[in-house]
Amino acid sequence: VGDIERLAPGLAFAAKRLLRVGVVLLGLRLSIGEVTALGVPTLLLVIATVAATFFGTQLLGRRLGLSAPLSLLVATGYSIGGASAIAAMEQTSEAEEEDVAMAIGLVTMAGTLAMFTLPLIATTIGLSDQQFGTWVGASVHDVAQVVAAASTGGASVLAVAAVVKLTRVVLLAPIVAGVSFQRSRRSATVDGGSPPILPGFVVGFLAMVLLRSTGSVPAAVVDAVKVVEGLLLTTALVGLGAGVRISRLRTLGGRPLVLGAAAWVLVAVVSLAGTSLLV
């Protein structure tokens, strides 16, 4: 315990500061041209899937009696995808460290299962490469998990899945802004304060997308930044995990698992239905 206490400042720095830098650098993976090249039907599919999963998961969380912050984090992780999205919403959600850890655990577990189940289902129902890539990108959570699942279908599937997934990440900005706006109005009513609508690191993420869109960033730089970004996010997750109290997780019981399973089915079914209709 004493060792952890001595490391606490560094772990907190990793969980907060390094995380935000990693999210900013994530924006360099995507350009506006890649997003628009998906076409209107696919963009509508992505938006509809994110919206249905984000609001539907929170509704399910309330029905299960879970806290609003935990439900919000799980909803963010399953709709936008991955631990980085959950951690990015942490500041706005006013969640406790155990809520963050639980949400990350659920989304990681579901994404890992999706890596194995989606390719089997796609083969069984006969999805085309375009449809398979779109479904994977719209429903699998972490970027690495998307790559693993899509790689089973070849390069053409992976190319589509990666862009669709990163387009979901772009939607993190309006979702965080919406939640922040709602909370800022409540805070202004209570104490007269007004926190920023969009956190600085989310603005930085969008700035990196714009920078990549100019075409002025060499491919070698993008590849190098991708490695740094991965290291920063991994370190941040270690920092988050180190602050978790196991006793607190136990008090949550099995309800978060039910929410995680339901949210996984929701995002998979909505995205598959949309893919079948629009792609």
Side-chain angles (χ1 to χ4, degrees):
V1 176
D3 291 337
I4 292 295
E5 290 178 349
R6 286 197 296 271
L7 294 174
L11 292 170
F13 177 82
K16 304 293 184 182
R17 303 296 182 181
L18 295 187
L19 166 72
R20 293 168 187 173
V21 175
V23 172
V24 169
L25 296 180
L26 184 61
L28 207 59
R29 292 199 189 196
L30 187 67
S31 69
I32 294 175
E34 290 173 320
V35 173
T36 57
L38 290 174
V40 173
T42 301
L43 291 175
L44 290 175
L45 162 66
V46 171
I47 293 170
T49 300
V50 168
T53 306
F54 183 72
F55 294 108
T57 300
Q58 290 185 80
L59 176 60
L60 290 169
R62 288 196 295 271
R63 293 291 178 86
L64 289 168
L66 295 171
S67 68
L70 176 58
S71 299
L72 174 61
L73 292 179
V74 174
T76 303
Y78 279 78
S79 60
I80 299 300
S84 58
I86 292 172
M89 182 64 83
E90 178 191 6
Q91 176 184 358
T92 305
S93 69
E94 301 174 355
E96 297 182 2
E97 290 177 337
E98 289 74 24
D99 293 330
V100 178
M102 177 62 77
I104 290 175
L106 290 172
V107 78
T108 301
M109 178 180 63
T112 301
L113 292 173
M115 287 166 48
F116 299 99
T117 56
L118 264 62
L120 293 175
I121 295 173
T123 301
T124 302
I125 64 179
L127 294 182
S128 67
D129 286 354
Q130 183 77 17
Q131 289 175 324
F132 181 30
T134 301
W135 187 32
V136 170
S139 62
V140 182
H141 311 308
D142 189 75
V143 173
Q145 294 166 341
V146 168
V147 171
S151 295
T152 62
S156 59
V157 173
L158 178 57
V160 174
V163 177
V164 171
K165 161 58 187 172
L166 291 172
T167 301
R168 286 167 65 198
V169 177
V170 171
L171 295 178
L172 178 65
I175 283 181
V176 171
V179 174
S180 297
F181 178 70
Q182 181 184 38
R183 293 185 182 279
S184 69
R185 292 181 62 184
R186 185 159 53 234
S187 296
T189 302
V190 174
D191 57 21
S194 183
I197 297 300
L198 203 59
F201 66 93
V202 178
V203 175
F205 168 83
L206 295 175
M208 289 296 102
V209 174
L210 293 176
L211 177 60
R212 175 71 185 277
S213 302
T214 65
S216 61
V217 183
V221 173
V222 174
D223 291 339
V225 169
K226 188 183 301 184
V227 174
V228 174
E229 163 226 311
L231 291 173
L232 290 175
L233 292 178
T234 300
T235 304
L237 293 180
V238 172
L240 285 168
V244 173
R245 297 188 297 275
I246 301 299
S247 59
R248 162 66 177 159
L249 291 178
R250 289 174 180 165
T251 64
L252 296 174
R255 291 173 298 164
L257 291 175
V258 175
L259 177 61
W264 182 36
V265 172
L266 176 62
V267 68
V269 170
V270 170
S271 57
L272 178 58
T275 297
S276 301
L277 291 172
L278 299 175
V279 180

